[in-house]
Coordinates of all heavy atoms in Angstrom, one line a residue:
T12 N 23.2 95.0 209.8 CA 22.4 94.9 208.6 C 21.2 93.9 208.8 O 20.1 94.2 208.3 CB 23.3 94.3 207.5 OG1 24.4 95.2 207.3 CG2 22.5 94.2 206.2
R13 N 21.4 92.8 209.5 CA 20.3 91.9 209.8 C 19.2 92.6 210.6 O 18.0 92.4 210.4 CB 20.8 90.7 210.6 CG 21.8 89.8 209.8 CD 22.2 88.6 210.6 NE 23.5 88.1 210.0 CZ 24.1 87.1 210.6 NH1 23.7 86.5 211.7 NH2 25.2 86.6 210.0
D14 N 19.7 93.5 211.6 CA 18.6 94.2 212.4 C 17.9 95.1 211.5 O 16.6 95.3 211.7 CB 19.4 95.0 213.5 CG 19.9 94.1 214.5 OD1 19.5 92.9 214.6 OD2 20.8 94.5 215.3
V15 N 18.5 95.8 210.5 CA 17.8 96.7 209.6 C 16.9 96.0 208.7 O 15.7 96.4 208.5 CB 18.9 97.5 208.8 CG1 18.1 98.4 207.7 CG2 19.7 98.4 209.7
I16 N 17.3 94.8 208.2 CA 16.4 94.0 207.4 C 15.2 93.6 208.1 O 14.0 93.7 207.7 CB 17.2 92.7 206.9 CG1 18.2 93.1 205.9 CG2 16.2 91.7 206.3 CD1 19.2 91.9 205.5
D17 N 15.3 93.1 209.4 CA 14.2 92.7 210.2 C 13.3 93.9 210.5 O 12.0 93.8 210.4 CB 14.7 92.1 211.5 CG 15.4 90.8 211.4 OD1 15.1 90.1 210.3 OD2 16.1 90.4 212.3
A18 N 13.9 95.1 210.7 CA 13.0 96.3 211.0 C 12.2 96.7 209.8 O 11.1 97.1 209.9 CB 13.9 97.4 211.5
E19 N 12.9 96.6 208.6 CA 12.2 97.0 207.3 C 11.1 96.0 207.0 O 10.0 96.5 206.6 CB 13.2 97.0 206.2 CG 14.1 98.3 206.2 CD 13.3 99.5 205.9 OE1 13.1 99.9 204.8 OE2 12.9 100.2 206.9
I20 N 11.3 94.7 207.2 CA 10.2 93.8 207.0 C 9.0 94.0 207.9 O 7.9 94.1 207.4 CB 10.7 92.3 207.2 CG1 11.8 92.0 206.1 CG2 9.6 91.3 207.1 CD1 12.5 90.7 206.4
K21 N 9.3 94.3 209.1 CA 8.2 94.6 210.1 C 7.5 95.9 209.7 O 6.3 96.0 209.8 CB 8.8 94.7 211.5 CG 7.8 94.9 212.6 CD 8.4 95.1 214.0 CE 7.3 95.4 215.0 NZ 7.9 95.5 216.4
R22 N 8.3 96.9 209.3 CA 7.6 98.2 208.9 C 6.7 98.0 207.8 O 5.6 98.5 207.8 CB 8.7 99.2 208.6 CG 8.2 100.5 208.1 CD 9.3 101.4 207.6 NE 9.9 100.9 206.4 CZ 9.4 101.0 205.2 NH1 8.3 101.6 205.0 NH2 10.1 100.5 204.2
I23 N 7.1 97.3 206.7 CA 6.3 97.1 205.5 C 5.0 96.4 205.9 O 3.9 96.8 205.5 CB 7.1 96.3 204.4 CG1 8.2 97.2 203.9 CG2 6.1 95.9 203.3 CD1 9.1 96.5 203.0
V24 N 5.1 95.3 206.6 CA 3.9 94.5 206.9 C 3.0 95.3 207.8 O 1.8 95.3 207.6 CB 4.3 93.2 207.5 CG1 3.0 92.4 208.0 CG2 5.1 92.3 206.6
T25 N 3.6 95.9 208.9 CA 2.8 96.7 209.8 C 2.0 97.9 209.1 O 0.8 98.1 209.4 CB 3.6 97.2 210.9 OG1 4.3 96.1 211.6 CG2 2.8 98.0 212.0
E26 N 2.7 98.6 208.2 CA 2.1 99.7 207.5 C 0.9 99.2 206.7 O -0.1 99.9 206.6 CB 3.1 100.4 206.6 CG 4.1 101.3 207.4 CD 5.1 102.0 206.5 OE1 5.0 101.7 205.2 OE2 5.9 102.8 207.0
Q27 N 1.1 98.1 206.0 CA 0.0 97.6 205.1 C -1.2 97.1 206.0 O -2.3 97.2 205.6 CB 0.5 96.6 204.2 CG 1.5 97.1 203.1 CD 1.0 98.4 202.5 OE1 0.0 98.5 202.0 NE2 1.9 99.4 202.6
A28 N -0.9 96.5 207.1 CA -1.9 96.0 208.0 C -2.8 97.2 208.5 O -4.0 97.2 208.6 CB -1.3 95.2 209.2
E29 N -2.1 98.3 209.0 CA -2.8 99.5 209.4 C -3.6 100.2 208.3 O -4.7 100.7 208.5 CB -1.8 100.5 210.0 CG -1.1 100.0 211.3 CD 0.0 100.9 211.7 OE1 0.4 101.8 211.0 OE2 0.5 100.7 212.8
R30 N -3.0 100.1 207.1 CA -3.7 100.6 205.9 C -5.0 99.9 205.7 O -6.1 100.4 205.4 CB -2.8 100.6 204.7 CG -3.4 101.0 203.4 CD -2.5 100.7 202.2 NE -3.1 101.0 200.9 CZ -2.6 100.5 199.8 NH1 -1.6 99.6 199.8 NH2 -3.2 100.8 198.6
A31 N -4.9 98.5 205.7 CA -6.1 97.7 205.5 C -7.1 98.0 206.6 O -8.3 98.0 206.3 CB -5.7 96.2 205.5
Q32 N -6.7 98.1 207.8 CA -7.6 98.4 208.9 C -8.3 99.7 208.8 O -9.5 99.8 209.0 CB -6.8 98.4 210.3 CG -7.7 98.2 211.5 CD -6.9 97.8 212.7 OE1 -5.8 97.3 212.6 NE2 -7.4 98.1 213.9
G33 N -7.6 100.7 208.3 CA -8.2 102.0 208.0 C -9.2 102.0 206.9 O -10.3 102.6 207.1
L34 N -8.9 101.3 205.9 CA -9.9 101.2 204.7 C -11.2 100.4 205.2 O -12.3 100.8 204.8 CB -9.3 100.4 203.6 CG -8.2 101.2 202.8 CD1 -7.5 100.3 201.8 CD2 -8.9 102.3 202.0
L35 N -11.0 99.4 206.0 CA -12.2 98.6 206.4 C -13.0 99.4 207.4 O -14.3 99.3 207.4 CB -11.7 97.3 207.0 CG -11.2 96.2 206.0 CD1 -10.7 95.0 206.8 CD2 -12.2 95.9 205.0
S36 N -12.4 100.2 208.2 CA -13.1 101.1 209.2 C -13.9 102.1 208.4 O -15.1 102.4 208.8 CB -12.1 101.8 210.1 OG -11.4 100.9 210.9
Q37 N -13.4 102.6 207.3 CA -14.2 103.5 206.5 C -15.4 102.9 205.8 O -16.4 103.5 205.5 CB -13.3 104.1 205.4 CG -12.2 105.0 206.0 CD -11.2 105.5 204.9 OE1 -11.5 105.5 203.7 NE2 -10.0 105.8 205.3
H38 N -15.3 101.6 205.5 CA -16.3 100.9 204.8 C -16.9 99.8 205.7 O -17.1 98.6 205.3 CB -15.8 100.2 203.5 CG -15.3 101.2 202.5 ND1 -14.0 101.8 202.6 CD2 -15.9 101.8 201.5 CE1 -13.8 102.6 201.6 NE2 -15.0 102.7 200.9
R39 N -17.1 100.1 206.9 CA -17.6 99.2 207.9 C -19.0 98.6 207.5 O -19.3 97.4 207.6 CB -17.8 99.8 209.3 CG -18.5 99.0 210.3 CD -17.8 97.8 210.7 NE -18.5 96.9 211.6 CZ -18.5 97.0 212.9 NH1 -17.7 97.9 213.5 NH2 -19.2 96.2 213.7
K40 N -19.9 99.4 206.9 CA -21.2 99.0 206.5 C -21.1 97.9 205.4 O -21.8 96.8 205.4 CB -22.0 100.1 205.9 CG -23.5 99.7 205.6 CD -24.2 100.9 205.0 CE -25.6 100.5 204.6 NZ -26.4 101.7 204.1

């Protein structure tokens, strides 16, 4: 269960970081 918790926390943060990176790439100017 601890492993699943750690994996879920990492997934949430990583997904939002990639989302932010994608939005900023679209609005680079």
Side-chain angles (χ1 to χ4, degrees):
T12 302
R13 295 180 199 176
D14 290 342
V15 175
I16 290 172
D17 292 340
E19 284 293 276
I20 293 169
K21 182 180 178 181
R22 178 188 63 80
I23 290 172
V24 176
T25 304
E26 284 180 358
Q27 296 312 308
E29 292 172 351
R30 177 189 176 199
Q32 198 166 336
L34 287 170
L35 291 178
S36 296
Q37 294 172 24
H38 296 85
R39 170 65 188 269
K40 183 180 177 182

